[in-house]
Amino acid sequence: PDNFFLIAGPCVVESESLLDEVAGTVSRICARLEIPYVFKASYRKANRTSASSFTGIGDETALQLLQKTGQKYNLPVTSDIHAYDEAAPAAKYIDILQIPAFLCRQTDLLVAAAETGKIVNVKKGQFLSGPSMQFAVDKIKKAGNNNILLTERGTTFGYQDLVVDYRNIPWMQAHGVPVVMDCTHSLQQPNQTSGVTGGNPQLIETIAKAAIATGADGLFIETHPNPAVAKSDGANMLRLELLEPLLEKLVKLRKAVI
Amino acid sequence: PDNFFLIAGPCVVESESLLDEVAGTVSRICARLEIPYVFKASYRKANRTSASSFTGIGDETALQLLQKTGQKYNLPVTSDIHAYDEAAPAAKYIDILQIPAFLCRQTDLLVAAAETGKIVNVKKGQFLSGPSMQFAVDKIKKAGNNNILLTERGTTFGYQDLVVDYRNIPWMQAHGVPVVMDCTHSLQQPNQTSGVTGGNPQLIETIAKAAIATGADGLFIETHPNPAVAKSDGANMLRLELLEPLLEKLVKLRKAVI
Amino acid sequence: PDNFFLIAGPCVVESESLLDEVAGTVSRICARLEIPYVFKASYRKANRTSASSFTGIGDETALQLLQKTGQKYNLPVTSDIHAYDEAAPAAKYIDILQIPAFLCRQTDLLVAAAETGKIVNVKKGQFLSGPSMQFAVDKIKKAGNNNILLTERGTTFGYQDLVVDYRNIPWMQAHGVPVVMDCTHSLQQPNQTSGVTGGNPQLIETIAKAAIATGADGLFIETHPNPAVAKSDGANMLRLELLEPLLEKLVKLRKAVI
Amino acid sequence: PDNFFLIAGPCVVESESLLDEVAGTVSRICARLEIPYVFKASYRKANRTSASSFTGIGDETALQLLQKTGQKYNLPVTSDIHAYDEAAPAAKYIDILQIPAFLCRQTDLLVAAAETGKIVNVKKGQFLSGPSMQFAVDKIKKAGNNNILLTERGTTFGYQDLVVDYRNIPWMQAHGVPVVMDCTHSLQQPNQTSGVTGGNPQLIETIAKAAIATGADGLFIETHPNPAVAKSDGANMLRLELLEPLLEKLVKLRKAVI
């Protein structure tokens, strides 16, 4: 079978040099391993737990850097939007519009994203089942767009933990769209008293292997040269130097999945 | 102690005659029982499960009807907003801006609501703990508004059920704001295969009594003369004629809460 | 309506003087407040998290002390059994056989308890719904015993927390038996890395008030003169001196429940 | 790496011919695929939801049939025990004593099983985390037995569903013991109003593949020539004729797991 695709990059656009380092490194690895690669970074963080957390370097600047990075390395680029009126402006710069999990039921947002004609990647809400994502798919199709991805990113499991239910891989594929496993955010530990979401990055390999084995079409992995100094999601991002050996294992696994 | 307050009305603005019937009936009951009453109806439903569900009669028309109803019966009025740019327009007509549970972490939305100077009622996300709602409170206060309510509406409990955790009443009151129990939506049965959220209206009394006993400052109850024909949330709304006997029991209970 | 009943005592039989102090104090309080009182202590702890935890002073000795305490203060006495062959021996000394939550589906245990003719109090498993407790009731009735209590003690909510679902009060009463709220164990914080289950005793009042408001027939509260030195469940037991003011509030609340 | 091992057979000992058919068929498949095979059937079902469900053909008779089947096909044999006094008698006939999930914290049962010297396979309670299974391992080791298996079988996820958390595979392996995935019971749908636990057997392949990918040492699969007429767990057992193609895929996958 064909290989899985990879959506990867730093959580947020911090600087041009960061995008350059990550896109350059990951595109080289993916070329060697024959993994189709989509570059990802958020141009703005709209729903940080705490109002005092970093939210970005400016939307327009960040979107331009994303586009430039994609052009330089010949990569499709994705970022997340948070309100219906961000869809059209973002679509000028990026190829895949990602809908955050908390917002996956906002009809206006889904329709606005659909109407750009770009690929729309909807993350499954932590409060939704895979079968229920049919309704997100239907809203986008009804708006005339059939280029849809769905992403699993874990489900609420008590207040301070998420659990990945792998039944959602076949359940969401049954909607006729490719399914991505978000190996980063599904390991979040929400509702920490510190106001900073925690994580378990040493389990990324476990989450990714199970996804490939159960037939996921793509993986989403946030990566950073030095997660400890990252401006967002440092608790969950994979250290960039660990990405290549991980992908080698996953490619080997993929070939064994019938 | 003082009585609890009540936020009640039909789920969505269907027609002027519906608002009139509900506001007239409930304001009469609340006057007799000395319950401060806030009239509620959504002017638009933005996150229906299915794209083919009813979403409203037009925003401007619905907001004007809400304002008119409030003026006629001398009631404060509330409705929910779904994007940051709805805050200012809605604030021209209504007194309390309600933030939907799925959107309780959207900083732009919270800030825009805060900046209207109106009371902001944030529903606790189904994926959040009561202590974590501190961060929503902080975002609103940081925007210069201290008129805040928090509302419990149940927490994700498997895919097709919600559970009300009453520890959230004192936990959210610890943030220094009044806490409301949403007796309607906390009984939802989400992720039904039909695409229509289910419910258990016969348990409204159980949910409400436990809220009053644990010190909730207010109750939120959607009510309709005939829920079976309602255009939204029919599965959970309380039949209007059942409201008065329920409130009588709750007022009696409130007086016994030390 | 009649008052609720109270099942209370220290978690485990530590010594005769402890039983004496607790039974004496609580029976005096309950006599004044007209609360029917059942004395409770475990004669053995069979399922401690860790094998190195205290399990008891000897079964026979502990059971005799329970019986003696009941006779001295004219109280019915209850304790929990853990295997079918403990039912008949325990029934010689105690009035109510309590079935632990983890064991509520063990048919042999339920039948053996039923066959003693004593009252059987089955705790709802953390993994079971209230409606499913019908099957426990049926197993006991089929063995010829109609003296049954069911107890709510919280439901698994992620790994390290329990949540009390108050819908279970009316759902279990629908099986035709009195329903008890275990205000102690429903506040456990299981799966702590220390091997010692944690707790939140400051929330006992919240749990108890919601139970009374939703119509619970009885309350279960473990209490100890000094929980910090208790040999089991110290994290959750109510300090004995706090019991009387709590019960006063609850009796007042009960009178307001229609 | 070496292959995974398989624990498989019908849910309960129904008849000698059934054991013969399953053990014969599966041992032939496993020999070809070089999968170490352990024959499994329960000699008694002690915790059926409903008292009117089938519980067995008699303990002694069933245990003898298990032993005979093991000898005929040269297979180790396993069954589950439910009370401490079943450990020694069962150990006369079988090689691996399985501890049911609901009973995984019962110290007496774990110790009695440990003292037989047989391998003890403890299923993780639906209410426990993988890390907490350390305490079950410790209880068995303290009783002098280091031959321990742990089995994942899903975790409570709302009332009517279980979810498999694959983090438990590495978390339980960290206790220094082999870890088994129970592909049958982790697909149960408990708390059905019918009193008969439901299931999703079409997802067995998904559950098994993710287990192999995440490094599980063994798989547990109940299988029956005709699940529709099975006397227990018919909703979840794999049709016997589907086992061979499933195992072929899993062996291929195992070889790709680094």
Side-chain angles (χ1 to χ4, degrees), chain A:
Chain A
D2 296 336
N3 214 347
F4 60 88
F5 60 88
L6 176 69
I7 302 173
C11 180
V12 62
V13 177
E14 299 179 13
S15 67
E16 180 165 4
S17 64
L18 175 68
L19 299 202
D20 216 50
E21 178 177 0
V22 175
T25 303
V26 181
S27 63
R28 180 189 54 75
I29 297 169
C30 286
R32 185 174 74 78
L33 296 174
E34 298 181 10
I35 299 170
Y37 173 39
V38 178
F39 183 73
K40 183 270 167 184
S42 292
Y43 67 91
R44 180 158 45 112
K45 305 305 295 179
N47 59 355
R48 300 300 299 264
T49 303
S50 167
S52 58
S53 297
F54 176 80
T55 60
I57 61 170
D59 293 0
E60 191 80 12
T61 308
L63 284 164
Q64 286 171 346
L65 284 179
L66 280 169
Q67 185 182 48
K68 187 176 170 186
T69 304
Q71 289 168 342
K72 179 170 177 185
Y73 294 99
N74 197 25
L75 302 171
V77 171
T78 187
S79 195
D80 46 322
I81 62 171
H82 327 88
Y84 69 93
D85 57 3
E86 296 177 31
K92 284 189 247 168
Y93 299 99
I94 63 177
D95 307 285
I96 302 177
L97 297 176
Q98 178 186 300
I99 307 297
F102 294 150
L103 306 181
C104 71
R105 281 181 58 142
Q106 303 306 308
T107 307
D108 288 354
L109 179 60
L110 292 169
V111 169
E115 290 176 346
T116 66
K118 300 287 180 173
I119 298 170
V120 183
N121 178 12
V122 190
K123 292 202 171 181
K124 185 187 80 59
Q126 295 89 333
F127 43 84
L128 280 187
S129 69
S132 289
M133 291 300 288
Q134 177 70 54
F135 302 104
V137 170
D138 289 348
K139 288 175 182 176
I140 296 168
K141 285 189 176 172
K142 199 172 168 186
N145 188 334
N146 290 317
N147 298 313
I148 303 168
L149 302 175
L150 293 177
T151 294
E152 165 67 36
R153 52 93 76 238
T155 301
T156 294
F157 183 61
Y159 291 127
Q160 293 174 324
D161 203 9
L162 297 173
V163 66
V164 177
D165 179 358
Y166 285 89
R167 297 175 300 181
N168 283 323
I169 305 291
W171 280 344
M172 293 202 291
Q173 286 175 328
H175 306 324
V177 301
V179 172
V180 180
M181 171 61 64
D182 176 346
C183 303
T184 300
H185 298 93
S186 56
L187 285 167
Q188 283 182 326
Q189 304 267 281
N191 289 310
Q192 302 300 310
T193 50
S194 63
V196 179
T197 302
N200 264 320
Q202 71 284 7
L203 287 165
I204 293 171
E205 183 170 324
T206 296
I207 296 294
K209 283 179 164 176
I212 294 300
T214 54
D217 302 283
L219 297 178
F220 175 109
I221 300 175
E222 288 187 351
T223 182
H224 192 282
N226 186 358
V229 303
K231 293 187 185 299
S232 176
D233 253 343
N236 283 296
M237 280 195 282
L238 186 70
R239 182 176 290 275
L240 184 53
E241 67 186 17
L242 300 177
L243 185 63
E244 187 160 13
L246 172 62
L247 291 174
E248 286 175 351
K249 293 179 191 175
L250 296 172
V251 168
K252 188 173 167 193
L253 197 63
R254 172 73 171 199
K255 287 178 180 153
V257 176
I258 302 174

